[in-house]
Amino acid sequence: MPHAPSWYADTAHPAPNRPMLVGDVTADVCIVGAGYTGLVTAIELAQRGLSVVVLEAEKVGWGASGRNGGQIVTGFNKSIAEIEGWMGKGDARQLWDLSEEAKTMLAGLVERHQIECDLKWGYLLAALKPRHMTALAEHQAELDGLAYGKSRMVARDEVRAMVATDSYIGGLYDEGSGQLHPLNYALGLARAAEGLGVRIHEGSRVVRVETGDKPFATTATGKVSAGYLVLAGNAYLGGLAPPIRSRVMPAGTYMIATAPMEPERAAALIPSGIAVADINFALNYYRRSPDHRFLFGGGVSYSGFDAPGLKTSLRRTMLRYFPQLADVPVEYLWGGHVAITMNRLPHLGRISPTTYFAQGYSGHGVALTAIAGRVIAEAIGHQAERFDIFARIPHRPFPGGQTFRMPALVLAMMWYRLRDLL
Ligand SMILES: Cc1cc2nc3c(=O)[nH]c(=O)nc-3n(C[C@H](O)[C@H](O)[C@H](O)COP(=O)(O)OP(=O)(O)OC[C@H]3O[C@@H](n4cnc5c(N)ncnc54)[C@H](O)[C@@H]3O)c2cc1C
């Protein structure tokens, strides 16, 4: 079974094909989905001595975890001040600490399990307009208030030395954010989980879950009966668990990779090799690859359809920043679904006392999935204090039900896009 096509798939480390689930098996915990959420949860549970089966519809890392921008981003998609407004000072502070623990965990997983995924720290949030600088300065002030100590504002000249584009007027440099090869991170997590005794089945789509006292998950060819279920299908879960479906919106987002360049030419684009994002509402993010390509992401489709001409339009956006790439062909285009929530904070909770879920990291999942996996494992181990902080985050359903929620959001997003262009 192949990975979803991308530059990541073509540079993935060799991995075994895992067997399809056949027949009836039992486990302490059954996890639906082998992306970062499912895999880190499995590792954390196995480390606590529980038996775990992971059921993956396609292949390990087939979803967003194998296709994303690979950007490890500090904090959440909302400021801590906003979270404080919704949840109070104590919870907001603890959520910040948990988000920091997520990055420490990620680094620890990579080191402990020797996951070769090109992990590298250093990140620039760049400003295109004065109002972006104001927003970044507010962000920096908040980080100072949290005693973060790893970020600082940078002026136009320093940004120009970091990135070979004249587009930016300044930025915020964060040495605590970074980048990795997302699919190789997922494959490494799977190997680590199996080393701890976790059984992973690929090609095993769960078609029904029973979330009561005696939970189970069934596929076309088998059934796992378990003490607990963890639903980790995120944007790809579809209608398997109706109670949580309306809390996330799957949005298509896309990346391109250029042809390889001479090493010196690629290095000149981002001499420091850091990852970069700018803070237009429709985020653009990019970095160099170890084989000297330029990886550029952006473009969001909320309509549920992959817009035609994406490769051309993403390339056009890239050339606006980097006209010097005009003669470099684009060799790859791929996309995937990112799950966003109404308030842009992750959605963790229980459907029943035996069934947990985590979804909707809203573009921050590379890091935050690690802590989600840990707090779910803690809660299954009857230490739910930290899980419950996440579970207290107030989430509202997207308005409009299944049929109309997309058009409503598309209109809202078009307004923000227009604001960016102006
Ligand atoms: C193009 C793109 C760029 C992104 N860039 C970034 C970024 O730079 N930084 C960042 O932090 N985040 C980014 N994200 C988001 C990030 O990738 C996700 O938040 C993260 O990977 C979520 O991991 P997950 O394990 O929860 O979900 P996924 O990785 O999507 O895994 C879910 C898995 O569940 C499986 N599944 C679903 N339903 C079933 C079923 N019924 N039975 C069995 N299996 C099932 C799916 O096949 C899938 O493999 C990006 C996402 C995309 C698509």
Side-chain angles (χ1 to χ4, degrees):
M1 186 177 304
H3 296 295
S6 69
W7 174 77
Y8 300 133
D10 284 356
T11 51
H13 296 315
N17 284 318
R18 276 97 183 175
M20 181 189 284
L21 176 74
V22 179
D24 289 5
V25 303
T26 58
D28 293 323
V29 184
C30 174
I31 297 174
V32 180
Y36 307 143
T37 301
L39 295 168
V40 178
T41 308
I43 290 172
E44 289 283 317
L45 288 165
Q47 280 170 345
R48 289 169 172 77
L50 277 77
S51 64
V52 183
V53 171
V54 180
L55 299 176
E56 165 54 48
E58 306 283 344
K59 198 169 176 63
V60 165
W62 181 88
S65 297
R67 314 176 191 198
N68 62 64
Q71 308 224 349
I72 305 157
V73 192
T74 297
F76 296 91
N77 199 330
K78 286 285 164 185
S79 70
I80 298 302
E82 279 170 288
I83 300 175
E84 209 175 296
W86 295 324
M87 302 182 65
K89 226 178 174 61
D91 276 0
R93 174 71 214 198
Q94 295 213 60
L95 281 170
W96 163 255
D97 291 342
L98 288 162
S99 72
E100 279 295 284
E101 185 175 331
K103 292 188 296 174
T104 308
M105 273 185 77
L106 182 153
L109 284 160
V110 167
E111 195 185 330
R112 191 165 343 107
H113 301 291
Q114 296 181 357
I115 300 175
E116 287 176 17
C117 60
D118 309 316
L119 174 62
K120 185 173 165 51
W121 298 101
Y123 189 83
L124 176 71
L125 264 173
L128 290 151
K129 301 170 187 167
R131 87 177 145 81
H132 295 165
M133 278 307 268
T134 309
L136 287 177
E138 281 168 17
H139 185 39
Q140 179 60 44
E142 176 162 89
L143 291 171
D144 288 341
L146 291 159
Y148 178 56
K150 292 182 193 156
S151 64
R152 62 188 167 83
M153 293 297 288
V154 279
R156 181 195 282 262
D157 287 354
E158 198 180 344
V159 167
R160 186 64 183 77
M162 288 175 174
V163 196
T165 173
D166 294 321
S167 303
Y168 300 130
I169 60 168
L172 186 157
Y173 176 68
D174 179 4
E175 66 184 40
S177 289
Q179 59 183 296
L180 48 61
H181 186 302
L183 181 54
N184 280 335
Y185 175 52
L187 294 172
L189 291 176
R191 181 173 46 78
E194 286 170 328
L196 293 161
V198 172
R199 288 165 281 167
I200 302 176
H201 295 283
E202 294 179 331
S204 302
R205 178 175 298 281
V206 174
V207 292
R208 185 186 157 209
V209 286
E210 165 55 49
T211 62
D213 286 353
K214 295 200 169 120
F216 60 81
T218 52
T219 70
T221 53
K223 173 178 174 183
V224 182
S225 302
Y228 294 93
L229 296 181
V230 179
L231 305 180
N234 210 342
Y236 293 91
L237 194 61
L240 191 68
I244 58 172
R245 188 180 190 185
S246 64
R247 261 59 178 182
V248 290
M249 169 75 70
T253 172
Y254 306 91
M255 293 192 69
I256 51 176
T258 67
M261 289 168 259
E262 289 299 312
E264 300 73 33
R265 184 174 180 190
L269 294 166
I270 311 180
S272 52
I274 57 172
V276 184
D278 60 49
I279 64 162
N280 256 5
F281 187 82
L283 195 74
N284 297 304
Y285 47 92
Y286 50 87
R287 58 202 180 92
R288 290 199 259 123
S289 70
D291 64 351
H292 315 298
R293 297 169 191 271
F294 203 63
L295 309 182
F296 189 91
V300 181
S301 162
Y302 295 89
S303 63
F305 304 102
D306 288 354
L310 267 170
K311 193 172 178 173
T312 311
S313 71
L314 262 179
R315 179 168 182 273
R316 202 182 305 125
T317 309
M318 179 180 80
L319 293 183
R320 268 214 313 272
Y321 293 82
F322 299 97
Q324 62 269 48
L325 289 176
D327 63 329
V328 183
V330 169
E331 289 194 344
Y332 292 89
L333 163 76
W334 69 93
H337 287 162
V338 57
I340 59 167
T341 56
M342 280 285 276
N343 62 13
R344 306 294 190 269
L345 295 176
H347 184 211
L348 276 67
R350 301 174 187 82
I351 286 179
S352 72
T354 58
T355 304
Y356 290 75
F357 65 86
Q359 61 179 8
Y361 304 96
S362 305
H364 279 49
V366 172
L368 292 178
T369 42
I371 194 65
R374 177 169 283 173
V375 297
I376 289 173
E378 287 173 2
I380 288 174
H382 305 293
Q383 286 185 312
E385 295 81 8
R386 299 185 339 143
F387 175 86
D388 284 339
I389 300 169
F390 277 103
R392 276 200 290 277
I393 297 175
H395 285 281
R396 285 186 293 130
F398 279 91
Q402 288 308 312
T403 318
F404 295 111
R405 65 191 175 128
M406 294 273 191
L409 196 75
V410 172
L411 284 178
M413 294 301 155
M414 278 167 65
W415 152 246
Y416 283 114
R417 185 79 200 114
L418 191 66
R419 201 185 63 174
D420 281 348
L421 291 172
L422 295 175

